[in-house]
Amino acid sequence: MNTLYYGDNLEVLAEHFPDESVDLIYLDPPFNSKVDYNVIFREHNKDDGATAQILAFEDTWHWTLESEHALDRIMAKNGKLAELLYLIVGTLQKNDLSAYLVSMAERLNELRRVLKPSGSLYLHCDPVASHYLKMVLDILFGAANFRNEIIWKRTSAHSGSKRWGDVHDTILFYGASKQAVWNPVYQKFDESYVNSKYKNADAKGRFQLDNLTAAGIRQGDSGAPWKGVDPTAKGRHWAVSREVMKGLVGEETATSMSTQAKLDLLDSHGYIYWPTKGRGGQPGFPRFRRYLAEGVPVQDVITDIPPVNSQAAERLGYPTQKPVALLERIISVSSNPGDVVLDPFCGCGTAVAAAQKLGRQWRGIDITHLSVALMTARLERDFGLKPGKDFQVEGTPRDVGAARYLFERDPFQFQFWIVGLAGAQPYGATASNKKGKKGGDTGIDGQMFFRTPAGEKLEKVIVSVKGGKNLNPAMVRDLVGTVQRESAAIGVFITIDEPTKGMKDEAAKAGTYKYGAKSYPKIQLLTVQEILEGKRPEIPHGSANMSFERQEVKTLQRQTKKGNAPSLFGDD
C-alpha cells in the first residue's frame, strides 16, 4: 500500500525497503545552504497580512562524532565510496560541507541498494555541492549510467552580489543500468515557432517542406535513383525519417526494407511533395512533408515550468516546494503506471502527489511530523484520500502510550503531530527561536479555518495542546480568553490524559457557537485517544476546512560570518 514514513530515511530504508524494490527515486534534500526555512501560514481572516511562522527545517550540517561514525559505516558497506570520501574530507577538511557530503553519501548508497535495474534516480541539488554529489553518484551507479545534468530555471532574473544571478537548480539523472525505463515526453512548441516554420496544412495537419536527402554520396541503395531522380548527381543521398517509418510499419520491418521501398511507402502515404519543374510540368526534386509533431522532446534545460508562486492553488506553504508539473515530467519519462516512486526527503509531498495523479505507487519519507501532517492534508485535499484507508502512515504514534513517549522525547514534534492529525495548521515555532519555543506564550498551538456552508464567512478555530499531566480548569479559562482575544469561533483543547470534571465544567460555561439553527460547543475538549479514533473538532456540517488551502511562503536567512546566506530557492 502507498505509505508515508516518519523518521530518518536511513533507518526507514534499512528497515522497510528490500533490495531492488523501487522503480524511481526523486530526492530534493536540503542543500547545506545555512538557511532556516519557515512555513508561513496565512491568517485567513485578517486584512493586515499577519502570518504565523513555524520552523520547517534548519538546513545546516556540522562535523560531529556522528560524521566519523558515518564514514566507518560507509567503509564497511562500500569501500570504494569510502575511499572517495576520505579523499574529499582530507582535501576540504572536517567542516560543514564535508559533514553534508558524508551524510548524503550514506543515504545515496542505501538508495542505490533499493533501486531496481530498470530504475532511475533524480537528485535535485544546487551548484554549490552538485559536483561533489556527482562524484559520489559516479561511484555508486558507474559513470556510464549518468544520463543528464538537468538545469531547471527556478526563478526569474535577479541581481547577485558581485556574481552572475543564480536562477537555477541542478538535477542529476542516473539510470541503474542500460535497461532503465525511458518514455518519450514532449514539450509544446512555441507558438511563434509553429507559425513561422509550419505554414502549410492539409488533412494530416500542419507541415513544412524539408529535405529528403542528406549531404554526401553513398554507394548503396541510399545513393541509387528512385522514380527517375538521382541524388548522387547532386552530391547527396536519400535520408528517410526513421520515426515516420517506425510509425508506419514498425522498427523491425523498416530495418529490413530497402531505401527505395521506404520511399515508395512514404509517397503512398502522402509524405513526399513533388514540385513541378519548368513549363513542361515535369516533377522537380522531391521533398519531405514534415508534419508538426506532438512537441519537442524534453530537453535538459527546463525553462517552461515556473516555480510555485505565492498565488498558486498547489501552494502549501512549504519553503522549498517544487511545482507538480516538474515532478510529473520526471515521473512520466522514467516510470510506468503502477511503478513504485520513492521520495526519501518528501517535505510537503510534491513527488507523492504527482505519483498519485499519474497512477504510480508511492512511498514518502520525512523526519518531521510537520511534513507528514502537510502531506496527509494534501492527499486528503487533492485526492480525497484517508490515512489508514487509502494509504498508511508509519512511524507516528498509533496509541496513547506511543503519543506520551513522543511528548516526553520531543514536545514540539508531539505538538506538530497531534495538531496536524486533528486537521489544523501547526503554529508557533519561529525562526528567531528555532527550537520551537515561543517568546511569550500566545496560547495558540494550532489553527483551523473553516468557511461556513453558505460560503459567506470564514471563521477561525484556536487549538491548544497540553501533553503533560496536572491538568486543571485554569487551562480551559486561558483558552477561553485566547478565543475571545483572537475573535475565533471555537477553541479546541487537546490532551493526552482525560480532562478533569472541572475542565469540562469550564468548557460548558463558555457557551456555544451558533450557525443557523444549530449550535456547536464554543470550547471543545478532545483527547489524543479520541483523535486517534477519528474524532475531529465540530464545525458546521457542510463547511469546508480551509486550513491548508493556500499559503504564503517566506525564506528567513540566518546571519553568517560572511553576511546573509543567499536564498537557493527563489522564494525571496
Side-chain angles (χ1 to χ4, degrees):
M1 178 179 277
N2 294 332
T3 307
L4 297 177
Y5 295 91
Y6 163 73
D8 186 326
N9 51 33
L10 193 62
E11 298 173 2
V12 172
L13 288 166
E15 183 176 350
H16 296 281
F17 287 76
D19 294 355
E20 299 183 359
S21 58
V22 174
D23 297 282
L24 173 62
I25 298 171
Y26 168 84
L27 62 156
D28 180 17
F31 291 177
N32 193 38
S33 59
K34 296 181 174 60
V35 177
D36 287 344
Y37 290 101
N38 282 35
V39 177
I40 306 297
F41 293 115
R42 177 182 298 165
E43 291 272 18
H44 287 268
N45 58 345
K46 289 188 177 182
D47 297 326
D48 60 1
T51 57
Q53 301 171 1
I54 187 166
L55 187 68
F57 60 88
E58 180 185 355
D59 184 7
T60 303
W61 266 255
H62 301 293
W63 189 273
T64 65
L65 187 59
E66 172 56 26
S67 305
E68 301 280 357
H69 292 329
L71 268 178
D72 292 339
R73 291 193 296 267
I74 294 171
M75 176 60 80
K77 291 184 177 181
N78 190 327
K80 192 173 181 181
L81 177 60
E83 288 179 10
L84 171 66
L85 292 171
Y86 278 117
L87 286 172
I88 292 176
V89 172
T91 302
L92 298 178
Q93 303 304 310
K94 295 179 178 180
N95 53 30
D96 296 351
L97 178 57
S98 298
Y100 172 73
L101 293 172
V102 168
S103 176
M104 284 301 305
E106 186 172 24
R107 284 156 175 77
L108 289 168
N109 187 59
E110 194 69 11
L111 290 169
R112 180 66 183 88
R113 175 186 65 79
V114 306
L115 193 62
K116 293 180 181 178
S118 58
S120 297
L121 178 141
Y122 288 79
L123 171 57
H124 197 132
C125 51
D126 80 322
V128 173
S130 62
H131 48 301
Y132 295 113
L133 292 170
K134 186 177 184 301
M135 294 171 67
V136 170
L137 292 171
D138 280 346
I139 294 292
L140 292 173
F141 286 82
N145 286 316
F146 169 69
R147 296 289 188 267
N148 284 104
E149 179 183 65
I150 301 166
I151 301 301
W152 174 52
K153 184 182 178 184
R154 54 165 172 75
T155 185
S156 57
H158 61 76
S159 60
S161 177
K162 296 183 179 180
R163 60 174 179 163
W164 301 55
D166 54 325
V167 298
H168 81 276
D169 283 353
T170 298
I171 304 173
L172 300 175
F173 167 32
Y174 282 78
S177 70
K178 293 181 179 179
Q179 287 73 49
V181 170
W182 178 259
N183 302 311
V185 170
Y186 298 90
Q187 301 169 228
K188 290 183 178 179
F189 286 111
D190 182 82
E191 186 175 351
S192 62
Y193 168 80
V194 173
N195 291 334
S196 65
K197 299 295 184 182
Y198 290 84
K199 298 178 180 180
N200 305 302
D202 60 15
K204 285 191 181 71
R206 301 180 69 156
F207 68 90
Q208 62 170 290
L209 296 178
D210 203 352
N211 288 324
L212 193 57
T213 60
I217 296 174
R218 298 291 185 270
Q219 299 301 317
D221 59 0
S222 65
W226 173 69
K227 291 192 175 182
V229 180
D230 185 4
T232 301
K234 291 183 174 289
R236 302 180 69 82
H237 64 278
W238 301 113
V240 179
S241 170
R242 292 181 180 177
E243 286 300 314
V244 173
M245 289 300 303
K246 182 179 177 180
L248 291 175
V249 296
E251 188 171 8
E252 185 176 350
T253 300
T255 302
S256 65
M257 295 172 65
S258 69
T259 300
Q260 282 65 34
K262 293 176 183 177
L263 291 168
D264 285 337
L265 187 65
L266 290 178
D267 198 18
S268 67
H269 282 80
Y271 280 95
I272 294 180
Y273 171 76
W274 292 92
T276 58
K277 182 178 180 181
R279 294 184 178 181
Q282 295 298 315
F285 206 88
R287 303 198 72 191
F288 176 58
R289 292 178 187 254
R290 185 176 299 280
Y291 288 90
L292 181 63
E294 182 180 353
V296 61
V298 289
Q299 306 295 299
D300 64 2
V301 177
I302 301 175
T303 60
D304 63 325
I305 299 178
V308 183
N309 66 60
S310 62
Q311 300 304 310
E314 66 186 87
R315 171 68 81 182
L316 268 172
Y318 204 77
T320 62
Q321 182 176 349
K322 302 303 184 292
V324 172
L326 179 64
L327 273 300
E328 287 181 359
R329 182 170 296 178
I330 290 172
I331 291 171
S332 295
V333 300
S334 290
S335 71
N336 295 314
D339 283 353
V340 176
V341 177
L342 166 65
D343 185 346
F345 293 88
C346 56
C348 63
T350 300
V352 165
Q356 176 69 31
K357 182 178 178 181
L358 294 174
R360 273 63 168 173
Q361 300 181 68
W362 49 261
R363 310 288 186 265
I365 309 171
D366 204 275
I367 201 168
T368 70
H369 283 291
L370 172 62
S371 291
V372 174
L374 283 171
M375 286 184 283
T376 302
R378 184 175 195 172
L379 290 166
E380 183 170 357
R381 183 198 71 175
D382 294 349
F383 305 101
L385 303 181
K386 301 289 186 180
K389 176 184 177 183
D390 302 303
F391 64 94
Q392 295 291 342
V393 180
E394 298 286 348
T396 58
R398 296 190 176 185
D399 55 42
V400 175
R404 193 183 304 280
Y405 174 76
L406 175 61
F407 170 74
E408 292 170 352
R409 188 183 65 178
D410 191 331
F412 294 102
Q413 286 296 325
F414 167 79
Q415 176 182 305
F416 299 160
W417 164 70
I418 196 61
V419 168
L421 189 60
Q425 298 172 356
Y427 181 98
T430 65
S432 60
N433 192 324
K434 51 185 177 292
K435 295 302 182 185
K437 298 179 181 178
K438 301 180 286 290
D441 195 342
T442 63
I444 305 174
D445 297 316
Q447 296 181 118
M448 284 179 62
F449 298 90
F450 68 88
R451 192 174 294 282
T452 49
E456 77 283 4
K457 191 175 182 182
L458 190 66
E459 296 278 28
K460 180 162 72 172
V461 177
I462 298 298
V463 179
S464 179
V465 178
K466 298 296 180 184
K469 298 180 182 294
N470 302 318
L471 300 175
N472 60 76
M475 295 176 177
V476 177
R477 289 193 292 271
D478 288 342
L479 178 58
V480 172
T482 302
V483 168
Q484 293 173 346
R485 184 190 75 218
E486 297 292 322
S487 300
I490 293 170
V492 177
F493 194 94
I494 300 176
T495 64
I496 294 180
D497 293 320
E498 186 72 23
T500 66
K501 180 180 182 303
M503 295 172 69
K504 294 177 181 178
D505 291 342
E506 288 295 334
K509 292 177 185 177
T512 60
Y513 166 79
K514 295 183 179 180
Y515 180 81
K518 293 188 176 182
S519 298
Y520 302 85
K522 186 78 173 179
I523 299 298
Q524 302 177 16
L525 307 181
L526 287 176
T527 65
V528 168
Q529 181 64 42
E530 289 174 324
I531 294 174
L532 286 169
E533 292 172 352
K535 189 173 182 180
R536 297 294 181 264
E538 294 182 52
I539 57 178
H541 180 71
S543 60
N545 183 355
M546 312 287 286
S547 300
F548 294 95
E549 180 194 36
R550 182 183 293 171
Q551 315 300 341
E552 300 283 354
V553 167
K554 183 179 180 183
T555 301
L556 300 180
Q557 300 174 342
R558 287 195 300 120
Q559 285 290 121
T560 67
K561 292 182 180 179
K562 296 182 179 180
N564 275 340
S567 168
L568 297 179
F569 300 92
D571 291 325
D572 52 339

